[in-house]
Amino acid sequence: MKILVTGGAGFIGSNFCHYCYAHEPSSQIEKIIVIDKLGYSGSIENISELMEKENFCFIQADICNQELITQLLFDEKIDAVIHFAAESHVDRSIDDPAIFVQSNVVGTFKLLESSFHYFSSLAHKDKEKFRFLHISTDEVYGSIPMDASPAKEGGLYAPSSPYSASKAASDHFVWAYYKTYGLPAMITHSSNNYGPRQHPEKMIPHMICNALEGKELPVYGLGLNIRDWIYVEDHCAGIWRVLCWGKQGEVYHIGKGSGISNIELVRKICSLLDIFFPRLTGKSYSELIRFVADRPGHDLRYALDVSKMKKELGWEAQMELEKGLEKTIFWYVEHKDWIRSVMEKGYALKRQGLYRKAKITS
């Protein structure tokens, strides 16, 4: 397959690219082409190790650049589009929702337009092969009551934040292009991801970095919000399984299938740090926990029913939370230069004539 990965310099997208080269047979991957505008959540450092591979290509561009994306699809004869590109920070969406509408809704629409135009031109055998895989979130289902069963595929949407509303809108556009135009699309909804290369503003790396610097560990409200956490490599394995064996027109939930409150999670991180990187004072990192005012529209519980992935595709998450947190802690401890770099330069990368310099070959 020749795979176009949008948002491939971001957290999950870059981990997916690394996963493909590390775990999947080279015979299945002819080329991976990453498109990323390198906004706040995308970093060239995330994919720098892949740059030397002959069958890897990076282009700094916005998916809203429909002309470029369309030309790229035709020039490279793409077999699959995996659409990670999205603004994804809930707090940022509250502060500036317009950016989320532009990236997540308009960007997805333009990507679908390009993909459908390209798909329509393909010969029958190539149409049978082509896939459009849209990566979404559990947040589109809104807050699941504590006594309710986890959300199933096709469940009612009830987004609470501008971020989740923009992702819900993008999901609907994907289904419209499948149902109306026959674009062979699939959607995955994942639970909260964690692991290497996640922006230090996100909860788990934020807690790790703050703790090691002796800073306060801010927890919204009373920390009772429930989330299901999946190690990012498990998520990537699930995405690959859907790409290769999923059925077009289907939705798949990718998660661990468990839940933990935010305060329990933070205390677990503190306990692991106490073991591996004890403070000179002898005190626990947990004394740094501070409860802060809750954010607007904060959903109490997210929960996905992940049984379909196991039943139909033979996949389930492997990494236990404590082991995954341990691996994540050590990654951030060992990559302080990465943390400093992405925080200082804000993921800015100055290039001119990006499409020409990418040396795209047909």
Side-chain angles (χ1 to χ4, degrees):
M1 289 184 288
K2 278 190 175 181
I3 304 172
L4 176 64
V5 179
T6 72
F11 167 45
I12 305 176
S14 65
N15 274 284
F16 176 77
C17 293
H18 282 276
Y19 172 86
C20 288
Y21 287 109
H23 296 281
E24 299 306 328
S26 58
S27 59
Q28 293 194 57
I29 302 171
E30 183 177 350
K31 191 174 185 179
I32 291 179
I33 299 145
V34 164
I35 289 283
D36 200 300
K37 68 179 181 180
L38 297 180
Y40 96 94
S41 60
S43 171
I44 197 68
E45 282 94 339
N46 288 343
I47 52 174
S48 59
E49 297 172 27
L50 304 176
M51 290 295 200
E52 300 304 316
K53 293 184 178 294
E54 293 184 359
N55 63 341
F56 180 86
C57 174
F58 168 71
I59 304 167
Q60 186 186 356
D62 193 325
I63 57 172
C64 288
N65 188 339
Q66 189 174 334
E67 181 179 355
L68 184 150
I69 299 296
T70 302
Q71 183 180 348
L72 176 61
L73 290 166
F74 276 91
D75 286 353
E76 288 286 359
K77 298 180 174 60
I78 296 297
D79 299 305
V81 175
I82 307 182
H83 181 31
F84 291 96
E87 299 288 342
S88 62
H89 198 288
V90 175
D91 288 354
R92 285 176 178 261
S93 81
I94 294 171
D95 294 336
D96 193 353
I99 295 174
F100 285 72
V101 173
Q102 180 66 20
S103 294
N104 300 355
V105 185
V106 177
T108 298
F109 164 71
K110 292 195 173 186
L111 182 64
L112 286 165
E113 280 282 277
S114 296
S115 298
F116 176 65
H117 180 53
Y118 167 69
F119 173 74
S120 299
S121 73
L122 296 176
H124 178 73
K125 65 180 180 62
D126 295 320
K127 283 184 176 179
E128 290 291 314
K129 185 178 181 182
F130 185 79
R131 290 291 182 272
F132 186 103
L133 178 52
H134 178 61
I135 311 301
S136 191
T137 172
D138 58 0
E139 296 192 35
V140 299
Y141 297 115
S143 189
I144 307 297
M146 289 293 191
D147 59 350
S149 299
K152 290 182 176 292
E153 287 86 352
L156 179 68
Y157 277 29
S160 302
S161 69
Y163 160 62
S164 56
S166 68
K167 288 298 290 184
S170 68
D171 293 354
H172 291 319
F173 270 103
V174 172
W175 284 130
Y177 273 70
Y178 165 69
K179 294 179 179 178
T180 303
Y181 303 115
L183 185 71
M186 299 175 288
I187 293 178
T188 62
H189 296 275
S190 81
S191 56
N192 285 38
N193 280 235
Y194 71 101
R197 306 181 187 92
Q198 188 171 30
H199 193 287
E201 286 184 352
K202 293 288 189 168
M203 183 179 179
I204 288 178
H206 185 59
M207 294 299 167
I208 294 170
C209 295
N210 270 22
L212 292 172
E213 293 177 14
K215 296 179 180 179
E216 292 185 351
L217 307 180
V219 177
Y220 282 130
L222 297 177
L224 301 180
N225 306 74
I226 302 292
R227 300 292 182 263
D228 175 26
W229 293 90
I230 182 172
Y231 192 63
V232 65
E233 188 171 288
D234 274 342
H235 184 196
C236 294
I239 291 169
W240 181 264
R241 190 66 61 94
V242 172
L243 177 66
C244 294
W245 293 286
K247 298 177 182 178
Q248 60 177 282
E250 291 289 326
V251 181
Y252 297 93
H253 287 171
I254 302 177
K256 182 66 176 169
S258 58
I260 184 173
S261 70
N262 287 347
I263 188 60
E264 288 179 277
L265 178 68
V266 174
R267 287 175 177 153
K268 192 177 288 289
I269 293 170
C270 290
S271 295
L272 289 169
L273 287 169
D274 288 340
I275 294 170
F276 296 109
F277 303 97
R279 300 171 72 190
L280 294 177
T281 62
K283 295 181 179 179
S284 172
Y285 287 97
S286 60
E287 73 157 3
L288 298 173
I289 295 173
R290 299 290 184 273
F291 294 104
V292 299
D294 211 348
R295 73 182 179 208
H298 197 183
D299 291 325
L300 182 59
R301 175 181 176 236
Y302 297 139
L304 293 176
D305 183 324
V306 297
S307 59
K308 180 176 178 178
M309 282 291 293
K310 183 176 181 179
K311 181 180 179 180
E312 296 188 10
L313 300 183
W315 174 93
E316 61 182 326
Q318 300 298 311
M319 184 69 70
E320 293 301 325
L321 180 60
E322 188 160 324
K323 182 62 177 178
L325 289 175
E326 180 183 325
K327 288 168 67 71
T328 302
I329 287 170
F330 274 90
W331 191 90
Y332 281 92
V333 168
E334 295 166 1
H335 290 80
K336 292 179 181 178
D337 288 344
W338 178 89
I339 297 170
R340 188 179 304 111
S341 176
V342 299
M343 293 299 286
E344 284 179 356
K345 69 183 183 182
Y347 306 115
L349 182 66
K350 295 181 180 179
R351 290 188 177 183
Q352 299 297 325
L354 294 165
Y355 188 62
R356 296 186 183 92
K357 289 185 179 180
K359 297 181 180 177
I360 300 171
T361 58
S362 59

